[in-house]
Amino acid sequence: MSALYLRNARFVDWRTNAIVCTDLKVEMGPGGTTTPVDEFPAGAEAIDCAGMIVTRAFANGHHHIYSALARGMPPPQRSPESFKDILELIWWNLDKKLDMEMIRASAMVTGIEAARCGCTFIVDHHASPGAPAGSLHVIAEALDEVGVSHLLCYELSDRDGAEALEAGFEETDAYLKGRQGLVGVHASFTVCDATLERAVALARGYGTGIHIHVAEAESDEEDCRARFGRSVAQRLADAGALELPRTILAHCLHLDDVEREIVAGSAAWVVHNTQSNANNAVGRFDPRGLGERIFIGTDGMHSDMLSATGAMYLEGQSMGGCGGCGGLTPADACRRLRRVHEYLEMNGIAGDGENNLVILDYPSPTPVTQDNWAAHVVYGMTGAHVHSVISQGALIVRDRHLTTVDEERVFAHEHEQAMRLWKLL
Ligand SMILES: [Zn+2]
């Protein structure tokens, strides 16, 4: 297995935060490892990391690549007055207008932004009812070109009628035949029992899980109790979705105590999206009673996992550290940033291994030690400190620039696609 070498690294172990000064050998390819070495082979390619920190690259637990063209777009026809309004006036208006060229541009630019921020794995939830067939393959190929690994799904929903739903099932099935992925479901309030049951059966058939928005707004719970006579978590449990260890429940903001017990006692994972929750004014995340299987996503807001971790930490502080429902320590926040690696590893998902590394140019005003590493993560670091990035042993970002694609060309094309989309909104 060929390898890349890092000289003079301050290497932070992502599990223990232990720091050693060492040279490193990074094996290339899937399943490669990173190990300290005493000397390099003659003529080996080596990157000098003097003065920089090297640690495991980040992974994003919940993203929406399809929203990449939304930043700065014209406002909706009227101001949204509810979460449902936000979906109907903004996101369900936008996603219907996406064509394949826009989808590809969104994936290229999101991959580049993620890579520049040290993120080498994206769990994405995609919707493009105007262009469903082949959309996941287009996203996968774009991310592959950038060098960012992925776990994709297509959003199944009854919201656009039977034909669109059928197209969603077809796209999911076609994609899962050849690639690792999940079965996406929008949310309880946009799927009937038949759709939900069919989605779970499909996930089970491919040995994978469901990726769904859960109780993001109170209205999801109200709808579920009115139409199905039970809570969202109970409905998902009854459908068998929570038995699947790859299942991801995004948000989980409005769960009651019984639902928390259901989720904690299940095989499913929860993903927390602080900045998106704030943006949509849907409430704040309370982790109490949900167990430890919680990781972090950006929900389409951006691709900087360090920024997301800092925001989550501050949200926890603002909710009261002493007996309140926040009480996150920096170490807790760091563990939640890293929990996604356990989800991916435990479920045998490829692309996020020990040879995924971020090299941080982080000139700290204070010493960085094993004991205070987590505080530097939540108070000091952002994606702007990312200098270089290694994905499956390949150097994809060198000195803040992609080595795999022409960023200027991609961004120029992205701007054209954004202007084209905005005219249609
Ligand atoms: Zn989402």
Side-chain angles (χ1 to χ4, degrees), residues 62 64 213 251 299:
H62 181 72
H64 292 291
H213 298 96
H251 300 283
D299 203 18

Side-chain angles (χ1 to χ4, degrees), residues 62-64 66 125 211 213 216 250-251 273 276 299-300:
H62 181 72
H63 210 340
H64 292 291
Y66 76 79
H125 200 279
H211 186 177
H213 298 96
E216 182 172 359
H251 300 283
N273 310 276
S276 166
D299 203 18

Side-chain angles (χ1 to χ4, degrees), residues 93-337:
N93 181 36
L94 180 146
D95 68 12
K96 283 186 190 67
K97 311 284 170 38
L98 293 170
D99 62 25
M100 228 38 103
E101 198 175 359
M102 295 170 187
I103 294 167
R104 182 177 153 72
S106 301
M108 288 295 286
V109 82
T110 303
I112 290 172
E113 288 204 319
R116 279 181 185 163
C117 292
C119 173
T120 56
F121 197 104
I122 295 173
V123 183
D124 192 70
H125 200 279
H126 174 68
S128 54
S135 57
L136 296 183
H137 275 290
V138 163
I139 294 170
E141 279 164 15
L143 294 179
D144 290 346
E145 194 178 330
V146 176
V148 170
S149 299
H150 44 83
L151 188 66
L152 309 181
C153 70
Y154 189 90
E155 177 190 294
L156 299 169
S157 170
D158 299 334
R159 67 164 148 114
D160 295 314
E163 207 174 307
L165 176 67
E166 211 50 47
F169 271 110
E170 277 169 24
E171 175 58 9
T172 303
D173 192 44
Y175 186 73
L176 292 179
K177 273 196 176 92
R179 293 271 205 164
Q180 66 181 15
L182 298 169
V183 174
V185 176
H186 171 246
S188 170
F189 69 94
T190 68
V191 290
C192 66
D193 280 340
T195 301
L196 182 59
E197 281 160 23
R198 199 174 153 198
V200 173
L202 189 61
R204 203 171 265 135
Y206 279 105
T208 193
I210 297 288
H211 186 177
I212 182 172
H213 298 96
V214 172
E216 182 172 359
E218 187 72 54
S219 52
D220 193 20
E221 289 287 356
E222 288 163 3
D223 171 89
C224 196
R225 287 177 200 279
R227 284 203 298 154
F228 304 102
R230 62 213 131 131
S231 68
V232 174
Q234 188 63 57
R235 184 173 180 227
L236 293 174
D238 293 346
L242 305 188
E243 295 160 17
L244 308 172
R246 287 188 179 191
T247 287
I248 296 175
L249 313 177
H251 300 283
C252 292
L253 297 183
H254 299 279
L255 302 183
D256 66 20
D257 289 347
V258 177
E259 291 183 280
R260 287 169 188 279
E261 260 178 56
I262 292 170
V263 171
S266 78
W269 296 67
V270 173
V271 58
H272 175 198
N273 310 276
T274 306
Q275 288 147 320
S276 166
N277 294 341
N279 187 47
N280 290 331
V282 282
R284 295 196 288 184
F285 180 68
D286 180 351
R288 286 180 299 182
L290 284 174
E292 293 298 314
R293 291 190 316 280
I294 303 171
F295 50 79
I296 308 173
T298 62
D299 203 18
M301 295 282 289
H302 58 75
S303 296
D304 182 352
M305 293 309 296
L306 285 168
S307 156
T309 306
M312 177 190 67
Y313 171 72
L314 293 180
E315 177 193 40
Q317 291 301 93
S318 73
M319 290 171 78
C322 304
C325 57
L328 269 191
T329 65
D332 291 334
C334 250
R335 268 193 291 277
R336 205 176 283 169
L337 167 67

